[in-house]
Amino acid sequence: MSYKYLCNGLPATLMLCFLFAVSSCKKDSNNSGGSNVTPQATPKKIGLYEADSSIYKELDIVISKIGTQSVQFGLVFDTGSGGMVIDAHGVVPASMLTSSGFNFTGDSTVVDGITITNKTNIVEYGDDANTIDKVYGNLAYASVTVGDQSGNIVVKRLPFFLYYKAVDSKGNSFDPHEFDVFGVSPQYDITFSGGAYITSPFSYYTPGTGLTSGFKMAALGPSNFSLNGTLVPDVITLGLTTSDLSSSDFTMNQLSYYPGNGYVPYLPASITYNGKTVSGTVIYDTGTEPYNYLEDNTAAKTITQLPENSSVSITTTSGFNYGYTTSATDYLTYVENPSSSG
C-alpha cells in the first residue's frame, strides 16, 4: 500500500518520492599499529524485493527472525521514515493481544526473546482528518535478523514499534501487517516517554573494523517488479569503505539535524516542472509509492495531477540532479498549494 507520512511540523515545500543512494552516520576509528592489527571487515549485502500490485509499486525487505521466533515478513523498505514498525500478530502469542493493548502488567515483559515495554504511542498516516489511519503499539526490543537466505544481518538489540491494532479514520480495522514498515532514515519518527525513540534499524548495526556505519543503495530499474515480488540481490550494502565515502559515483548531501527529530532526509533544492521553477525542499521517500507531491505556494487551490509527458527536474544545493517524465502509470505527480491543502 502507499504511505504519505506526516512531517512532524518540519518545513517542507516539496515532497518527492523516488529511489536514492545514501551514506551516513559516524566513522569508526581504525585499528592501527603493531602486528596484531584486526583484519578489515567485509561489507554485508542484502537484497530487496520489487513488488507490483498493478496499482502501486513498492520495495520490500524481509525480516526472517525476531527474538527466538523464525518469521517471514516483507516490510516496506522506506527511505522517508526512521524505525521498524511491525504487527504483533504472528510475532507474539495471540493470548497477549487485545483490542486495547498487550496483555501484561508491570514495566515490561519478555516473550520469545522479545521485550515489550509499557511505553506506548499512536502513529498516524495520511493527509487530513478524513484520511488519517492510526496504528497503536508499544516500544519493544529484540534481536532481529534482517534479510533472508540470499543475504542477511543480525541486529542484536533493536528497538522497534510493535503494534497490536491499525484502524482507518472510521475505526475499521486493517488486516494484520498492513502497516509494516522498515524505515531507514536517520530520523526519530516515533518517540516515547523518558526520551526513548526508534530510528533506522541499520543505525544499530555495527559493520566491523575499518568500515563506517551506514549503507549505500544500488540503482534499481523498473523491469523486475512482479505481483509476488522479485528478489534483486545485493541492493543494499551495509558498512562503507573509504572509497565509498569519496566516490565520484555519489553526490553527498549533508542532512540537517532537527532537535527531537534527528537527521531528517530533507534537502534544499530547485524544482522545475513544465517550465516553471520553484525553490523548496525534497524528501526522498520510497515508502510513498507511486506518487510524487509538488508543493507550490503559487499553484491552484485544488490538487491537480500533472498530465502525461510532463517533465520534472530537481537539483539539490549540493549538485545532485534528477529528472523524469510522467506517464499514465509511472511517475505520477500531484501539485498542491500548501495554503489550502494543509
Side-chain angles (χ1 to χ4, degrees):
M1 67 176 298
S2 67
Y3 301 87
K4 188 175 181 185
Y5 292 97
L6 302 180
C7 297
N8 298 321
L10 296 175
T13 56
L14 181 145
M15 297 179 69
L16 287 174
C17 320
F18 43 75
L19 309 182
F20 76 120
V22 63
S23 61
S24 65
C25 302
K26 103 177 180 186
K27 202 166 205 176
D28 297 329
S29 57
N30 291 323
N31 199 348
S32 61
S35 57
N36 296 320
V37 176
T38 302
Q40 179 164 313
T42 302
K44 298 283 288 187
K45 294 182 180 292
I46 298 176
L48 295 178
Y49 287 81
E50 295 187 355
D52 186 354
S53 71
S54 78
I55 300 175
Y56 61 85
K57 295 180 173 69
E58 73 178 29
L59 300 177
D60 291 334
I61 191 167
V62 169
I63 299 299
S64 52
K65 194 171 185 179
I66 304 177
T68 60
Q69 288 278 85
S70 293
V71 297
Q72 196 73 11
F73 295 123
L75 282 62
V76 174
F77 185 83
D78 184 17
T79 57
S81 71
M84 187 174 86
V85 176
I86 192 165
D87 197 328
H89 290 84
V91 176
V92 300
S95 60
M96 289 196 64
L97 302 175
T98 74
S99 60
S100 58
F102 292 99
N103 186 20
F104 72 93
T105 58
D107 293 337
S108 64
T109 188
V110 179
V111 56
D112 295 330
I114 303 167
T115 300
I116 306 173
T117 76
N118 64 357
K119 297 180 184 297
T120 63
N121 207 327
I122 303 172
V123 184
E124 296 184 343
Y125 300 86
D127 295 319
D128 51 44
N130 294 321
T131 61
I132 289 293
D133 303 320
K134 294 183 178 182
V135 182
Y136 299 76
N138 292 42
L139 173 65
Y141 297 85
S143 174
V144 176
T145 300
V146 182
D148 52 22
Q149 65 276 7
S150 65
N152 61 72
I153 61 167
V154 177
V155 183
K156 294 183 178 179
R157 183 171 170 80
L158 176 66
F160 60 98
F161 187 65
L162 185 67
Y163 68 91
Y164 56 88
K165 180 174 67 174
V167 299
D168 64 18
S169 59
K170 297 179 176 60
N172 300 312
S173 296
F174 285 97
D175 291 336
H177 297 281
E178 186 79 5
F179 283 89
D180 287 3
V181 178
F182 192 89
V184 295
S185 165
Q187 66 196 75
Y188 317 148
D189 267 351
I190 306 175
T191 58
F192 304 89
S193 60
Y197 62 87
I198 66 172
T199 187
S200 169
F202 291 158
S203 69
Y204 300 98
Y205 172 73
T206 303
T209 302
L211 298 176
T212 296
S213 180
F215 74 97
K216 66 178 181 179
M217 182 174 173
L220 283 167
S223 60
N224 292 309
F225 286 95
S226 65
L227 181 61
N228 293 321
T230 301
L231 173 64
V232 183
D234 300 340
V235 174
I236 302 299
T237 299
L238 285 154
L240 303 174
T241 65
T242 302
S243 60
D244 288 330
L245 297 174
S246 60
S247 173
S248 60
D249 293 335
F250 294 93
T251 300
M252 300 298 179
N253 294 271
Q254 178 65 48
L255 301 184
S256 297
Y257 178 79
Y258 294 86
N261 291 99
Y263 289 90
V264 182
Y266 292 168
L267 303 177
S270 175
I271 306 98
T272 300
Y273 69 98
N274 285 349
K276 182 179 182 180
T277 300
V278 295
S279 296
T281 307
V282 295
I283 176 170
Y284 296 98
D285 185 7
T286 58
T288 309
E289 305 83 359
Y291 313 109
N292 302 297
Y293 290 89
L294 308 181
E295 296 185 6
D296 183 351
N297 288 315
T298 65
K301 299 298 183 181
T302 56
I303 297 176
T304 59
Q305 181 179 349
L306 292 182
E308 290 181 52
N309 299 316
S310 296
S311 60
V312 179
S313 62
I314 302 96
T315 302
T316 72
T317 54
S318 296
F320 176 70
N321 299 297
Y322 182 83
Y324 61 88
T325 301
T326 62
S327 71
T329 56
D330 291 313
Y331 303 108
L332 305 182
T333 302
Y334 297 86
V335 178
E336 59 185 9
N337 189 319
S339 64
S340 56
S341 69

